[in-house]
Amino acid sequence: MWDAQLSALSSFDVVRYEHRGRPDVGALAGDVLTLVDGLGVDRFSFCGLSLGGMVGMQLAVEAPGRIDRLVLACTSARFGEPDEWARRAVAVRVEGMKSVAHEALDKWFTPAFRNRRPFLEMQLRTPPEDYALGLEAIGGFDLRSRLGEIGAPTLVVAGAEDTATSPADAAFLAERIPGARLVVLPAAAHLANVEQAAAFNAALLEHLGS
């Protein structure tokens, strides 16, 4: 998912990790702290997209002394209703990843983006129970009332054609996180870091280096 960012971040120490199946975003944020503690890292910058962005927000309010700079990409402080996510989780547990994989691609990318197979295969490799727990974690997340507590310098990135987490969701974050900056990338849907990698990377590097 982050392959298109690695060369741009060559001057940084970069850690990529997989979300494991956890019941809520707080537990996922705890996993990040366990990971960086194991690496001997105190303060770090965090870039997360979608569920990863929710993890970043959680870290910023629960462990503010650990976050240097924060990038919230294609994400939201509240994403739909819990019942909707619970239904999707049931479908994944019963039918497997094939029940969501193809539909997700249509939200992740605009019709112009053709190189979808690696991302389909990435989804199909995901353990269904981990994915289902991730859906439930999204459904239970609501940080709208705590965005003002985020003190880390924050960049909010949106895809102009993202129908999952819209530019309006991103604007909500940028308006309520003190000092946050909003960048909306044209011709990009939910995986804006993939579809518009050059523009995403430019905004990312500007923020991390500012």
Side-chain angles (χ1 to χ4, degrees):
M1 179 173 159
W2 296 104
D3 285 355
Q5 278 65 60
L6 284 184
S7 61
L9 294 172
S10 60
S11 63
F12 294 85
D13 294 322
V14 178
V15 175
R16 294 190 290 177
Y17 73 99
E18 295 280 355
H19 296 301
R20 61 175 174 158
R22 302 291 267 161
D24 56 60
V25 173
L28 290 168
D31 284 346
V32 174
L33 294 178
T34 299
L35 172 62
V36 295
D37 286 346
L39 295 170
V41 174
D42 181 23
R43 285 178 62 84
F44 56 96
S45 293
F46 187 91
C47 176
L49 187 147
S50 196
L51 175 57
M54 296 175 185
V55 172
M57 287 180 250
Q58 190 78 36
L59 287 166
V61 299
E62 298 293 348
R66 305 296 298 274
I67 302 299
D68 185 16
R69 294 180 179 274
L70 183 64
V71 180
L72 304 175
C74 305
T75 191
S76 178
R78 174 67 170 161
F79 195 175
E81 296 299 324
D83 288 350
E84 171 191 352
W85 296 102
R87 286 193 297 271
R88 292 191 193 183
V90 168
V92 170
R93 288 187 173 109
V94 172
E95 302 173 30
M97 290 302 299
K98 65 181 183 299
S99 67
V100 294
H102 290 278
E103 178 185 358
L105 293 181
D106 290 333
K107 289 186 175 294
W108 285 5
F109 302 113
T110 68
F113 187 81
R114 300 298 184 189
N115 187 29
R116 298 184 176 200
R117 176 149 295 278
F119 301 93
L120 175 62
E121 293 173 351
M122 179 180 74
Q123 284 205 99
L124 293 174
R125 288 194 303 268
T126 302
E129 181 60 20
D130 282 0
Y131 196 89
L133 285 167
L135 295 174
E136 291 169 344
I138 291 171
F141 183 75
D142 187 352
L143 214 69
R144 290 174 293 184
S145 66
R146 301 190 65 186
L147 294 175
E149 299 176 32
I150 296 178
T154 301
L155 170 67
V156 181
V157 182
E161 299 182 43
D162 188 356
T163 60
T165 50
S166 70
D169 293 319
F172 183 92
L173 295 176
E175 289 165 3
R176 285 160 177 78
I177 296 173
R181 183 168 69 96
L182 173 64
V183 172
V184 180
L185 301 180
H190 195 52
L191 291 195
N193 68 308
V194 174
E195 196 160 11
Q196 294 297 334
F200 184 95
N201 292 348
L204 177 63
L205 289 173
E206 180 181 358
H207 183 65
L208 294 178
S210 61

